[in-house]
Amino acid sequence: MKSCLKSSALRACGSIMLLLGLLGTVAVPPAPRITERNYQRYFDRYDLQGSFLLLDAATGQYTAYNLPRCRQGFLPASTFKIPNTLIGLETGAIRDTTDLCRWDGVKRSFPQWNQDMTMARALRVSCVPCYQQLARRVGAARYQQQLPKLKFGRMQVTPATVDTFWLAGPSRITQFEQIDFLQRFQRNKLPVARRSADITKALLVLGRGPGWTLRGKTGWTMQAGHDNGWFVGWVEQAGKAYFFALNAEPQNGGPAAANFIQGRRAVTEQILRQEFGLLPAAAHQ
């Protein structure tokens, strides 16, 4: 009798250990495959320093320049307009992107912002005041409900920071996290209505031609004289998707100039074209 009990206990223990082993295997995702490259020459053309990350979705292969920096968190700036548009549509804060953003009469340094405009145009010209109006309509409580579902970096929002939390404060997102979000968005794996996703994707189209489409969004934060910029998005070409995230700053911490403003997208497109054979020569419009 004792022998039977001992044998049963051993079998039960063995089953538990096997189950724990299987659970442990499932819980640990495989490490991403990353190839490191040096693309500083592209940044040098625009007096920039920074990092670049690309994911070939078909193979799961990442290519990184300045890998430690690709893992460093930065404020998302206007790249947050992508999830912000989705949240606005999902919560009913905007009915669609033809909704009008009324100019508040305050003249700002970007003249294209000093007018009434649709939310569609507000995203295209990256109008911060329009999206701040949207943020106040959404409210901190609904952001706190929606943001964990989207898993867009580590956003921190309170009632006091509801219209600035993506531009200042402790919110952060890495280039890996940007690409993870964009990949789920592109594959319709976000917990949002298909209508919201399709409307937002249409606004992100920057160029297209036979067999290819480029979607993306820039971002720019200015903190205590320090400028930081983004260009994130994806290329669909020949039936495949390639996701990218660039983060850059002026070399030597100097003030942003035309090179910084143009360079975020220009550096990205040159790398995509010359290193990966993506986009035709006239893709940048």
Side-chain angles (χ1 to χ4, degrees):
M1 184 68 178
K2 290 181 179 179
S3 177
C4 289
L5 289 173
K6 184 176 181 181
S7 177
S8 297
L10 287 172
R11 284 197 299 270
C13 182
S15 298
I16 291 169
M17 293 301 292
L18 177 61
L19 178 60
L20 289 173
L22 290 172
L23 288 173
T25 301
V26 172
V28 180
R33 293 185 291 117
I34 304 171
T35 299
E36 296 188 57
R37 295 284 185 265
N38 186 345
Y39 297 144
Q40 183 57 43
R41 62 190 179 281
Y42 296 101
F43 288 79
D44 286 341
R45 294 171 188 172
Y46 294 87
D47 297 320
L48 297 178
Q49 58 190 10
S51 43
F52 175 85
L53 185 67
L54 180 130
L55 170 65
D56 181 337
T59 64
Q61 177 71 50
Y62 285 91
T63 303
Y65 164 59
N66 200 344
L67 181 58
R69 196 175 185 281
C70 290
R71 292 175 168 145
Q72 184 178 339
F74 298 93
L75 283 160
S78 285
T79 68
F80 185 68
K81 286 186 174 67
I82 303 174
N84 215 1
T85 302
L86 292 169
I87 291 170
L89 292 166
E90 288 292 292
T91 60
I94 52 174
R95 294 166 300 174
D96 58 46
T97 52
T98 65
D99 279 8
L100 201 62
C101 170
R102 297 288 184 182
W103 179 38
D104 58 10
V106 177
K107 289 190 175 181
R108 297 177 173 87
S109 56
F110 298 93
Q112 64 269 32
W113 294 358
N114 300 330
Q115 56 187 296
D116 294 347
M117 67 183 76
T118 64
M119 290 304 297
R121 177 164 174 76
L123 186 143
R124 292 191 177 104
V125 301
S126 211
C127 181
V128 170
C130 288
Y131 271 84
Q132 289 180 311
Q133 288 184 28
L134 170 61
R136 291 189 285 270
R137 291 200 294 272
V138 171
R142 290 198 288 188
Y143 277 124
Q144 289 165 356
Q145 293 172 348
Q146 294 288 326
L147 286 168
K149 299 176 184 177
L150 295 182
K151 298 179 182 177
F152 180 84
R154 290 140 289 143
M155 301 297 99
Q156 297 186 33
V157 55
T158 67
T161 63
V162 70
D163 56 3
T164 59
F165 68 92
W166 64 95
L167 299 168
S171 295
R172 295 291 185 270
I173 190 167
T174 71
Q175 287 162 258
F176 280 96
E177 290 169 334
Q178 289 273 18
I179 284 179
D180 174 71
F181 171 79
L182 291 172
Q183 185 175 203
R184 288 182 286 116
F185 178 35
Q186 189 263 352
R187 296 171 59 204
N188 296 313
K189 298 297 184 182
L190 295 179
V192 300
R194 183 64 178 266
R195 173 182 178 270
S196 301
D198 288 346
I199 288 172
T200 307
K201 286 177 188 176
L203 296 179
L204 298 176
V205 175
L206 299 176
R208 61 174 17 132
W212 67 273
T213 301
L214 170 66
R215 288 180 170 86
K217 184 71 193 75
T218 56
W220 179 5
T221 55
M222 295 169 278
Q223 296 287 302
H226 181 80
D227 296 277
N228 181 270
W230 289 97
F231 184 44
V232 305
W234 71 91
V235 178
E236 295 168 355
Q237 185 164 309
K240 296 182 179 180
Y242 305 85
F243 298 86
F244 60 83
L246 172 138
N247 187 276
E249 302 170 349
Q251 284 185 358
N252 305 316
N259 277 357
F260 171 83
I261 297 167
Q262 299 167 3
R264 295 165 297 168
R265 181 173 170 184
V267 168
T268 302
E269 291 193 7
Q270 288 171 18
I271 293 173
L272 292 174
R273 188 177 300 114
Q274 296 177 31
E275 300 292 334
F276 298 95
L278 300 172
L279 304 178
H284 196 142
Q285 299 172 348

Short mmCIF file of all heavy atoms in Angstrom, two decimals, residues 183-243:
data_model
loop_
_atom_site.label_atom_id
_atom_site.label_comp_id
_atom_site.label_asym_id
_atom_site.label_seq_id
_atom_site.Cartn_x
_atom_site.Cartn_y
_atom_site.Cartn_z
N GLN A 183 3.23 47.15 -35.67
CA GLN A 183 2.99 45.84 -36.26
C GLN A 183 1.59 45.32 -35.88
O GLN A 183 0.86 44.80 -36.72
CB GLN A 183 4.07 44.85 -35.83
CG GLN A 183 3.95 43.49 -36.51
CD GLN A 183 5.09 42.56 -36.19
OE1 GLN A 183 5.37 41.63 -36.95
NE2 GLN A 183 5.75 42.76 -35.08
N ARG A 184 1.22 45.48 -34.62
CA ARG A 184 -0.12 45.07 -34.20
C ARG A 184 -1.19 45.91 -34.88
O ARG A 184 -2.25 45.40 -35.26
CB ARG A 184 -0.24 45.15 -32.68
CG ARG A 184 0.56 44.06 -31.96
CD ARG A 184 0.39 44.11 -30.45
NE ARG A 184 1.12 45.22 -29.85
CZ ARG A 184 0.56 46.24 -29.21
NH1 ARG A 184 -0.76 46.27 -29.07
NH2 ARG A 184 1.29 47.19 -28.69
N PHE A 185 -0.92 47.20 -35.06
CA PHE A 185 -1.84 48.09 -35.75
C PHE A 185 -2.02 47.68 -37.20
O PHE A 185 -3.14 47.53 -37.70
CB PHE A 185 -1.29 49.52 -35.64
CG PHE A 185 -2.08 50.58 -36.33
CD1 PHE A 185 -3.46 50.53 -36.41
CD2 PHE A 185 -1.43 51.67 -36.91
CE1 PHE A 185 -4.18 51.54 -37.05
CE2 PHE A 185 -2.13 52.67 -37.55
CZ PHE A 185 -3.51 52.60 -37.63
N GLN A 186 -0.92 47.46 -37.90
CA GLN A 186 -0.97 47.10 -39.32
C GLN A 186 -1.70 45.78 -39.53
O GLN A 186 -2.43 45.61 -40.51
CB GLN A 186 0.46 47.03 -39.88
CG GLN A 186 0.53 46.88 -41.39
CD GLN A 186 0.70 45.42 -41.83
OE1 GLN A 186 0.93 44.53 -41.01
NE2 GLN A 186 0.61 45.19 -43.12
N ARG A 187 -1.56 44.84 -38.60
CA ARG A 187 -2.17 43.51 -38.73
C ARG A 187 -3.57 43.45 -38.14
O ARG A 187 -4.16 42.38 -38.05
CB ARG A 187 -1.27 42.48 -38.03
CG ARG A 187 0.11 42.32 -38.65
CD ARG A 187 1.00 41.45 -37.78
NE ARG A 187 0.42 40.12 -37.58
CZ ARG A 187 0.71 39.34 -36.54
NH1 ARG A 187 1.55 39.75 -35.60
NH2 ARG A 187 0.15 38.15 -36.44
N ASN A 188 -4.10 44.62 -37.73
CA ASN A 188 -5.45 44.68 -37.12
C ASN A 188 -5.56 43.82 -35.87
O ASN A 188 -6.57 43.15 -35.63
CB ASN A 188 -6.52 44.29 -38.14
CG ASN A 188 -6.59 45.26 -39.30
OD1 ASN A 188 -6.61 46.47 -39.12
ND2 ASN A 188 -6.60 44.73 -40.52
N LYS A 189 -4.50 43.86 -35.04
CA LYS A 189 -4.48 43.12 -33.79
C LYS A 189 -4.69 44.01 -32.57
O LYS A 189 -4.59 43.54 -31.43
CB LYS A 189 -3.15 42.37 -33.64
CG LYS A 189 -2.89 41.33 -34.73
CD LYS A 189 -3.92 40.22 -34.71
CE LYS A 189 -3.60 39.13 -35.72
NZ LYS A 189 -4.63 38.05 -35.72
N LEU A 190 -4.99 45.29 -32.78
CA LEU A 190 -5.29 46.16 -31.66
C LEU A 190 -6.76 46.01 -31.27
O LEU A 190 -7.60 45.73 -32.13
CB LEU A 190 -5.01 47.63 -32.03
CG LEU A 190 -3.56 48.03 -32.31
CD1 LEU A 190 -3.49 49.50 -32.69
CD2 LEU A 190 -2.66 47.75 -31.12
N PRO A 191 -7.08 46.23 -29.99
CA PRO A 191 -8.48 46.12 -29.56
C PRO A 191 -9.29 47.36 -29.91
O PRO A 191 -9.82 48.07 -29.03
CB PRO A 191 -8.35 45.92 -28.05
CG PRO A 191 -7.11 46.67 -27.69
CD PRO A 191 -6.17 46.48 -28.86
N VAL A 192 -9.38 47.65 -31.20
CA VAL A 192 -10.15 48.79 -31.70
C VAL A 192 -11.01 48.32 -32.86
O VAL A 192 -10.73 47.29 -33.48
CB VAL A 192 -9.25 49.96 -32.15
CG1 VAL A 192 -8.39 50.47 -31.00
CG2 VAL A 192 -8.38 49.56 -33.33
N ALA A 193 -12.05 49.09 -33.16
CA ALA A 193 -12.92 48.76 -34.28
C ALA A 193 -12.14 48.86 -35.60
O ALA A 193 -11.25 49.71 -35.75
CB ALA A 193 -14.12 49.69 -34.31
N ARG A 194 -12.50 48.02 -36.54
CA ARG A 194 -11.82 48.04 -37.85
C ARG A 194 -11.98 49.41 -38.52
O ARG A 194 -11.06 49.89 -39.17
CB ARG A 194 -12.40 46.93 -38.73
CG ARG A 194 -11.72 46.80 -40.10
CD ARG A 194 -10.27 46.39 -39.96
NE ARG A 194 -9.64 46.21 -41.25
CZ ARG A 194 -9.55 45.03 -41.88
NH1 ARG A 194 -10.03 43.92 -41.30
NH2 ARG A 194 -8.96 44.93 -43.05
N ARG A 195 -13.14 50.04 -38.33
CA ARG A 195 -13.36 51.37 -38.90
C ARG A 195 -12.33 52.36 -38.37
O ARG A 195 -11.74 53.14 -39.14
CB ARG A 195 -14.77 51.86 -38.58
CG ARG A 195 -15.05 53.31 -38.98
CD ARG A 195 -16.46 53.74 -38.58
NE ARG A 195 -16.71 55.13 -38.92
CZ ARG A 195 -16.46 56.15 -38.11
NH1 ARG A 195 -15.94 55.92 -36.89
NH2 ARG A 195 -16.71 57.39 -38.49
N SER A 196 -12.09 52.36 -37.06
CA SER A 196 -11.11 53.28 -36.46
C SER A 196 -9.72 53.03 -37.02
O SER A 196 -8.99 53.98 -37.33
CB SER A 196 -11.09 53.11 -34.94
OG SER A 196 -12.36 53.35 -34.37
N ALA A 197 -9.35 51.76 -37.16
CA ALA A 197 -8.03 51.42 -37.69
C ALA A 197 -7.89 51.85 -39.14
O ALA A 197 -6.88 52.44 -39.53
CB ALA A 197 -7.80 49.92 -37.56
N ASP A 198 -8.90 51.57 -39.95
CA ASP A 198 -8.82 51.91 -41.38
C ASP A 198 -8.75 53.42 -41.61
O ASP A 198 -7.99 53.89 -42.46
CB ASP A 198 -10.03 51.32 -42.13
CG ASP A 198 -9.96 49.81 -42.26
OD1 ASP A 198 -8.87 49.24 -42.02
OD2 ASP A 198 -10.99 49.20 -42.61
N ILE A 199 -9.55 54.18 -40.85
CA ILE A 199 -9.52 55.64 -40.98
C ILE A 199 -8.12 56.17 -40.64
O ILE A 199 -7.57 57.02 -41.35
CB ILE A 199 -10.57 56.29 -40.06
CG1 ILE A 199 -11.99 56.05 -40.61
CG2 ILE A 199 -10.33 57.80 -39.91
CD1 ILE A 199 -13.09 56.48 -39.66
N THR A 200 -7.55 55.68 -39.56
CA THR A 200 -6.24 56.17 -39.12
C THR A 200 -5.14 55.76 -40.08
O THR A 200 -4.25 56.56 -40.41
CB THR A 200 -5.95 55.67 -37.69
OG1 THR A 200 -7.04 56.01 -36.83
CG2 THR A 200 -4.67 56.28 -37.15
N LYS A 201 -5.19 54.52 -40.55
CA LYS A 201 -4.17 54.07 -41.51
C LYS A 201 -4.19 54.93 -42.77
O LYS A 201 -3.13 55.26 -43.32
CB LYS A 201 -4.42 52.61 -41.90
CG LYS A 201 -4.05 51.61 -40.84
CD LYS A 201 -4.40 50.20 -41.30
CE LYS A 201 -4.22 49.18 -40.21
NZ LYS A 201 -4.64 47.83 -40.64
N ALA A 202 -5.37 55.31 -43.23
CA ALA A 202 -5.47 56.11 -44.45
C ALA A 202 -4.79 57.46 -44.28
O ALA A 202 -4.19 58.00 -45.23
CB ALA A 202 -6.94 56.30 -44.83
N LEU A 203 -4.84 58.02 -43.07
CA LEU A 203 -4.23 59.33 -42.82
C LEU A 203 -2.71 59.27 -42.79
O LEU A 203 -2.05 60.29 -42.93
CB LEU A 203 -4.73 59.89 -41.49
CG LEU A 203 -6.23 60.20 -41.39
CD1 LEU A 203 -6.55 60.72 -40.00
CD2 LEU A 203 -6.64 61.21 -42.45
N LEU A 204 -2.16 58.08 -42.59
CA LEU A 204 -0.71 57.94 -42.45
C LEU A 204 0.00 57.72 -43.78
O LEU A 204 1.23 57.66 -43.81
CB LEU A 204 -0.40 56.76 -41.52
CG LEU A 204 -0.89 56.89 -40.08
CD1 LEU A 204 -0.58 55.62 -39.30
CD2 LEU A 204 -0.29 58.11 -39.38
N VAL A 205 -0.74 57.61 -44.88
CA VAL A 205 -0.11 57.36 -46.18
C VAL A 205 0.70 58.59 -46.60
O VAL A 205 0.17 59.69 -46.74
CB VAL A 205 -1.15 57.01 -47.25
CG1 VAL A 205 -0.48 56.89 -48.62
CG2 VAL A 205 -1.86 55.71 -46.90
N LEU A 206 2.00 58.39 -46.81
CA LEU A 206 2.90 59.47 -47.24
C LEU A 206 3.30 59.35 -48.70
O LEU A 206 3.78 60.31 -49.30
CB LEU A 206 4.15 59.47 -46.37
CG LEU A 206 3.93 59.70 -44.87
CD1 LEU A 206 5.25 59.57 -44.12
CD2 LEU A 206 3.30 61.05 -44.61
N GLY A 207 3.15 58.19 -49.26
CA GLY A 207 3.50 57.96 -50.66
C GLY A 207 3.09 56.57 -51.07
O GLY A 207 3.02 55.66 -50.24
N ARG A 208 2.78 56.40 -52.35
CA ARG A 208 2.45 55.08 -52.85
C ARG A 208 2.67 55.04 -54.35
O ARG A 208 2.72 56.06 -55.03
CB ARG A 208 1.01 54.68 -52.50
CG ARG A 208 -0.05 55.59 -53.07
CD ARG A 208 -1.50 55.09 -52.84
NE ARG A 208 -1.68 54.09 -51.85
CZ ARG A 208 -2.62 54.15 -50.89
NH1 ARG A 208 -3.42 55.21 -50.81
NH2 ARG A 208 -2.76 53.17 -50.03
N GLY A 209 2.85 53.83 -54.85
CA GLY A 209 3.06 53.62 -56.27
C GLY A 209 2.80 52.16 -56.58
O GLY A 209 2.33 51.41 -55.71
N PRO A 210 3.10 51.72 -57.79
CA PRO A 210 2.87 50.33 -58.15
C PRO A 210 3.61 49.37 -57.22
O PRO A 210 4.84 49.36 -57.17
CB PRO A 210 3.41 50.23 -59.58
CG PRO A 210 3.36 51.64 -60.10
CD PRO A 210 3.64 52.51 -58.92
N GLY A 211 2.88 48.63 -56.41
CA GLY A 211 3.49 47.61 -55.56
C GLY A 211 4.04 48.09 -54.23
O GLY A 211 4.61 47.30 -53.49
N TRP A 212 3.89 49.39 -53.89
CA TRP A 212 4.44 49.86 -52.62
C TRP A 212 3.57 50.96 -52.01
O TRP A 212 2.91 51.72 -52.72
CB TRP A 212 5.87 50.37 -52.76
CG TRP A 212 5.99 51.62 -53.59
CD1 TRP A 212 6.13 51.70 -54.95
CD2 TRP A 212 5.96 52.98 -53.12
NE1 TRP A 212 6.19 53.01 -55.36
CE2 TRP A 212 6.09 53.82 -54.24
CE3 TRP A 212 5.84 53.55 -51.86
CZ2 TRP A 212 6.10 55.21 -54.14
CZ3 TRP A 212 5.85 54.94 -51.76
CH2 TRP A 212 5.99 55.75 -52.90
N THR A 213 3.58 51.03 -50.68
CA THR A 213 2.93 52.10 -49.92
C THR A 213 3.79 52.42 -48.71
O THR A 213 4.28 51.53 -48.02
CB THR A 213 1.53 51.68 -49.43
OG1 THR A 213 0.71 51.32 -50.54
CG2 THR A 213 0.85 52.82 -48.66
N LEU A 214 3.99 53.72 -48.48
CA LEU A 214 4.73 54.20 -47.31
C LEU A 214 3.76 54.90 -46.37
O LEU A 214 3.06 55.82 -46.77
CB LEU A 214 5.83 55.17 -47.73
CG LEU A 214 6.54 55.93 -46.60
CD1 LEU A 214 7.34 54.98 -45.71
CD2 LEU A 214 7.43 57.04 -47.15
N ARG A 215 3.73 54.44 -45.12
CA ARG A 215 2.95 55.10 -44.08
C ARG A 215 3.89 55.52 -42.96
O ARG A 215 4.83 54.79 -42.63
CB ARG A 215 1.87 54.17 -43.51
CG ARG A 215 0.71 53.90 -44.46
CD ARG A 215 -0.31 52.97 -43.82
NE ARG A 215 -1.53 52.88 -44.59
CZ ARG A 215 -1.72 52.03 -45.61
NH1 ARG A 215 -0.75 51.20 -45.97
NH2 ARG A 215 -2.87 52.02 -46.26
N GLY A 216 3.63 56.68 -42.37
CA GLY A 216 4.51 57.11 -41.29
C GLY A 216 4.04 58.36 -40.59
O GLY A 216 3.10 59.02 -41.03
N LYS A 217 4.73 58.67 -39.49
CA LYS A 217 4.44 59.88 -38.70
C LYS A 217 5.72 60.35 -38.04
O LYS A 217 6.48 59.56 -37.47
CB LYS A 217 3.39 59.57 -37.63
CG LYS A 217 2.97 60.80 -36.83
CD LYS A 217 2.13 61.72 -37.67
CE LYS A 217 1.95 63.10 -37.01
NZ LYS A 217 3.19 63.94 -37.11
N THR A 218 5.96 61.65 -38.13
CA THR A 218 7.10 62.27 -37.46
C THR A 218 6.69 62.71 -36.06
O THR A 218 5.51 62.76 -35.71
CB THR A 218 7.61 63.49 -38.24
OG1 THR A 218 6.52 64.40 -38.42
CG2 THR A 218 8.17 63.08 -39.59
N GLY A 219 7.69 63.06 -35.27
CA GLY A 219 7.46 63.63 -33.94
C GLY A 219 8.63 64.50 -33.55
O GLY A 219 9.75 64.33 -34.05
N TRP A 220 8.38 65.46 -32.64
CA TRP A 220 9.42 66.41 -32.25
C TRP A 220 9.08 66.96 -30.86
O TRP A 220 8.00 67.51 -30.66
CB TRP A 220 9.48 67.53 -33.28
CG TRP A 220 10.47 68.63 -33.05
CD1 TRP A 220 11.42 68.72 -32.06
CD2 TRP A 220 10.61 69.82 -33.84
NE1 TRP A 220 12.15 69.88 -32.19
CE2 TRP A 220 11.68 70.56 -33.27
CE3 TRP A 220 9.96 70.31 -34.95
CZ2 TRP A 220 12.08 71.80 -33.80
CZ3 TRP A 220 10.36 71.53 -35.48
CH2 TRP A 220 11.42 72.26 -34.91
N THR A 221 10.00 66.78 -29.92
CA THR A 221 9.86 67.41 -28.61
C THR A 221 10.99 68.41 -28.41
O THR A 221 12.10 68.21 -28.89
CB THR A 221 9.89 66.39 -27.46
OG1 THR A 221 11.09 65.61 -27.54
CG2 THR A 221 8.68 65.51 -27.47
N MET A 222 10.68 69.48 -27.69
CA MET A 222 11.65 70.52 -27.36
C MET A 222 11.62 70.71 -25.86
O MET A 222 10.64 71.25 -25.32
CB MET A 222 11.31 71.82 -28.08
CG MET A 222 11.42 71.74 -29.60
SD MET A 222 10.73 73.17 -30.47
CE MET A 222 8.99 72.73 -30.47
N GLN A 223 12.64 70.22 -25.17
CA GLN A 223 12.69 70.28 -23.72
C GLN A 223 13.95 71.01 -23.27
O GLN A 223 15.06 70.52 -23.48
CB GLN A 223 12.68 68.86 -23.13
CG GLN A 223 11.41 68.08 -23.41
CD GLN A 223 10.24 68.58 -22.58
OE1 GLN A 223 10.30 68.59 -21.35
NE2 GLN A 223 9.18 69.00 -23.25
N ALA A 224 13.78 72.17 -22.68
CA ALA A 224 14.91 72.94 -22.13
C ALA A 224 16.03 73.09 -23.15
O ALA A 224 17.21 72.86 -22.85
CB ALA A 224 15.43 72.27 -20.85
N GLY A 225 15.67 73.46 -24.38
CA GLY A 225 16.66 73.66 -25.43
C GLY A 225 17.18 72.39 -26.06
O GLY A 225 18.09 72.43 -26.89
N HIS A 226 16.61 71.24 -25.69
CA HIS A 226 17.04 69.96 -26.25
C HIS A 226 15.96 69.43 -27.17
O HIS A 226 14.81 69.26 -26.77
CB HIS A 226 17.30 68.96 -25.11
CG HIS A 226 17.77 67.63 -25.60
ND1 HIS A 226 19.08 67.39 -25.97
CD2 HIS A 226 17.11 66.46 -25.80
CE1 HIS A 226 19.20 66.13 -26.36
NE2 HIS A 226 18.01 65.55 -26.27
N ASP A 227 16.33 69.17 -28.42
CA ASP A 227 15.37 68.69 -29.42
C ASP A 227 15.55 67.20 -29.66
O ASP A 227 16.68 66.70 -29.77
CB ASP A 227 15.57 69.45 -30.74
CG ASP A 227 15.27 70.93 -30.60
OD1 ASP A 227 14.09 71.30 -30.68
OD2 ASP A 227 16.22 71.71 -30.39
N ASN A 228 14.43 66.50 -29.76
CA ASN A 228 14.45 65.08 -30.06
C ASN A 228 13.36 64.79 -31.08
O ASN A 228 12.24 65.29 -30.97
CB ASN A 228 14.21 64.26 -28.79
CG ASN A 228 14.24 62.76 -29.04
OD1 ASN A 228 13.23 62.15 -29.35
ND2 ASN A 228 15.42 62.18 -28.93
N GLY A 229 13.71 63.99 -32.09
CA GLY A 229 12.76 63.76 -33.18
C GLY A 229 12.58 62.30 -33.54
O GLY A 229 13.49 61.48 -33.36
N TRP A 230 11.41 61.99 -34.08
CA TRP A 230 11.03 60.64 -34.51
C TRP A 230 10.60 60.63 -35.98
O TRP A 230 10.11 61.63 -36.50
CB TRP A 230 9.81 60.16 -33.73
CG TRP A 230 9.96 59.82 -32.29
CD1 TRP A 230 9.68 60.63 -31.22
CD2 TRP A 230 10.37 58.56 -31.75
NE1 TRP A 230 9.90 59.95 -30.05
CE2 TRP A 230 10.31 58.67 -30.34
CE3 TRP A 230 10.79 57.35 -32.32
CZ2 TRP A 230 10.65 57.63 -29.49
CZ3 TRP A 230 11.12 56.31 -31.47
CH2 TRP A 230 11.05 56.45 -30.07
N PHE A 231 10.76 59.47 -36.59
CA PHE A 231 9.99 59.12 -37.78
C PHE A 231 9.73 57.62 -37.68
O PHE A 231 10.68 56.82 -37.63
CB PHE A 231 10.75 59.45 -39.08
CG PHE A 231 9.94 59.18 -40.33
CD1 PHE A 231 8.61 59.55 -40.42
CD2 PHE A 231 10.52 58.56 -41.43
CE1 PHE A 231 7.86 59.30 -41.56
CE2 PHE A 231 9.79 58.31 -42.59
CZ PHE A 231 8.45 58.69 -42.65
N VAL A 232 8.46 57.25 -37.61
CA VAL A 232 8.08 55.85 -37.45
C VAL A 232 7.02 55.50 -38.50
O VAL A 232 6.29 56.37 -38.97
CB VAL A 232 7.53 55.55 -36.04
CG1 VAL A 232 8.52 55.98 -34.96
CG2 VAL A 232 6.18 56.23 -35.80
N GLY A 233 6.96 54.22 -38.85
CA GLY A 233 5.94 53.80 -39.81
C GLY A 233 6.27 52.45 -40.40
O GLY A 233 7.00 51.65 -39.81
N TRP A 234 5.73 52.22 -41.59
CA TRP A 234 6.03 50.96 -42.27
C TRP A 234 5.89 51.11 -43.77
O TRP A 234 5.20 52.00 -44.28
CB TRP A 234 5.17 49.82 -41.74
CG TRP A 234 3.71 49.84 -42.09
CD1 TRP A 234 3.10 49.27 -43.17
CD2 TRP A 234 2.64 50.43 -41.32
NE1 TRP A 234 1.74 49.45 -43.13
CE2 TRP A 234 1.43 50.16 -42.00
CE3 TRP A 234 2.59 51.15 -40.13
CZ2 TRP A 234 0.19 50.60 -41.53
CZ3 TRP A 234 1.35 51.60 -39.65
CH2 TRP A 234 0.18 51.31 -40.35
N VAL A 235 6.59 50.21 -44.47
CA VAL A 235 6.52 50.11 -45.92
C VAL A 235 5.87 48.77 -46.26
O VAL A 235 6.29 47.73 -45.73
CB VAL A 235 7.92 50.17 -46.57
CG1 VAL A 235 7.80 50.02 -48.10
CG2 VAL A 235 8.63 51.47 -46.21
N GLU A 236 4.86 48.81 -47.10
CA GLU A 236 4.31 47.58 -47.68
C GLU A 236 4.80 47.53 -49.12
O GLU A 236 4.55 48.45 -49.90
CB GLU A 236 2.79 47.59 -47.62
CG GLU A 236 2.26 47.56 -46.19
CD GLU A 236 0.77 47.86 -46.11
OE1 GLU A 236 0.16 48.17 -47.15
OE2 GLU A 236 0.21 47.80 -45.00
N GLN A 237 5.55 46.49 -49.43
CA GLN A 237 6.14 46.40 -50.77
C GLN A 237 6.19 44.93 -51.19
O GLN A 237 6.64 44.07 -50.41
CB GLN A 237 7.55 47.00 -50.78
CG GLN A 237 8.20 47.03 -52.17
CD GLN A 237 9.40 47.96 -52.21
OE1 GLN A 237 9.32 49.11 -51.80
NE2 GLN A 237 10.51 47.48 -52.73
N ALA A 238 5.70 44.66 -52.37
CA ALA A 238 5.71 43.30 -52.92
C ALA A 238 5.07 42.30 -51.97
O ALA A 238 5.56 41.19 -51.79
CB ALA A 238 7.13 42.87 -53.28
N GLY A 239 3.97 42.73 -51.33
CA GLY A 239 3.25 41.83 -50.45
C GLY A 239 3.85 41.62 -49.08
O GLY A 239 3.36 40.79 -48.30
N LYS A 240 4.92 42.34 -48.74
CA LYS A 240 5.57 42.20 -47.44
C LYS A 240 5.53 43.54 -46.70
O LYS A 240 5.37 44.60 -47.30
CB LYS A 240 7.02 41.73 -47.60
CG LYS A 240 7.14 40.34 -48.21
CD LYS A 240 8.61 39.93 -48.30
CE LYS A 240 8.74 38.53 -48.90
NZ LYS A 240 10.17 38.11 -48.98
N ALA A 241 5.70 43.47 -45.38
CA ALA A 241 5.68 44.67 -44.54
C ALA A 241 7.00 44.83 -43.81
O ALA A 241 7.55 43.86 -43.27
CB ALA A 241 4.54 44.61 -43.54
N TYR A 242 7.51 46.05 -43.80
CA TYR A 242 8.77 46.39 -43.13
C TYR A 242 8.49 47.58 -42.21
O TYR A 242 8.07 48.65 -42.69
CB TYR A 242 9.85 46.75 -44.15
CG TYR A 242 10.07 45.67 -45.19
CD1 TYR A 242 9.28 45.59 -46.33
CD2 TYR A 242 11.09 44.73 -45.03
CE1 TYR A 242 9.48 44.59 -47.28
CE2 TYR A 242 11.30 43.74 -45.98
CZ TYR A 242 10.49 43.68 -47.10
OH TYR A 242 10.69 42.69 -48.04
N PHE A 243 8.74 47.42 -40.93
CA PHE A 243 8.43 48.43 -39.94
C PHE A 243 9.72 49.14 -39.51
O PHE A 243 10.76 48.49 -39.31
CB PHE A 243 7.76 47.79 -38.73
CG PHE A 243 6.45 47.13 -39.07
CD1 PHE A 243 6.42 45.82 -39.52
CD2 PHE A 243 5.26 47.84 -38.96
CE1 PHE A 243 5.22 45.22 -39.86
CE2 PHE A 243 4.06 47.24 -39.30
CZ PHE A 243 4.03 45.93 -39.75
#
